[in-house]
Amino acid sequence: MRQRTPQEKKQLSYAKDHRNAYGENDKSSRKNIRRNKRAPHRANRHRAHQVLEAAVGVVDEVVEEQVEERVRRRRPKRWRKVPDVALGEIVRVRSVL
């Protein structure tokens, strides 16, 4: 059996190494997903709370509709989990960007 070149070793390593889409290993990805999930939800709640705090005074249908329209005007931030892929795919995609 011939000895593998460093480039071949690297390709084999990339094919075997499955990491999450953030480029982290599988253990730390549990923590990263939680933080990445929490930030968009917090930003959405913060925006809605700001609008509601600004709407003080007598509540009537016109004011209620204006406040609701202001809350819905901005598209909410979203979070989506991306499945784990091989490290080679992550490196290839990031090198193109």
Side-chain angles (χ1 to χ4, degrees):
M1 187 169 145
R2 70 177 182 83
Q3 194 171 9
R4 292 190 175 108
T5 65
Q7 290 81 9
E8 291 172 337
K9 288 181 182 178
K10 191 175 195 178
Q11 291 299 335
L12 286 172
S13 174
Y14 280 178
K16 291 179 190 176
D17 189 358
H18 283 266
R19 298 181 181 216
N20 65 9
Y22 307 106
E24 304 290 337
N25 66 30
D26 60 341
K27 305 300 188 284
S28 69
S29 66
R30 295 178 192 143
K31 299 172 189 152
N32 292 339
I33 290 171
R34 176 177 280 160
R35 185 180 63 224
N36 289 336
K37 183 178 181 180
R38 182 178 62 223
H41 291 284
R42 182 174 183 217
N44 293 337
R45 286 193 311 267
H46 179 69
R47 172 70 179 154
H49 187 69
Q50 279 182 326
V51 172
L52 292 174
E53 286 288 321
V56 294
V58 179
V59 179
D60 60 350
E61 289 186 22
V62 175
V63 173
E64 182 182 348
E65 289 176 9
Q66 289 174 348
V67 169
E68 188 172 340
E69 195 272 325
R70 279 190 68 199
V71 169
R72 292 184 180 181
R73 188 181 318 162
R74 179 183 285 182
R75 184 173 47 123
K77 295 179 186 245
R78 299 191 187 275
W79 175 82
R80 188 184 69 181
K81 183 177 179 180
V82 179
D84 294 349
V85 294
L87 181 60
E89 291 293 315
I90 294 173
V91 171
R92 185 175 53 78
V93 169
R94 288 190 181 177
S95 66
V96 172
L97 299 176

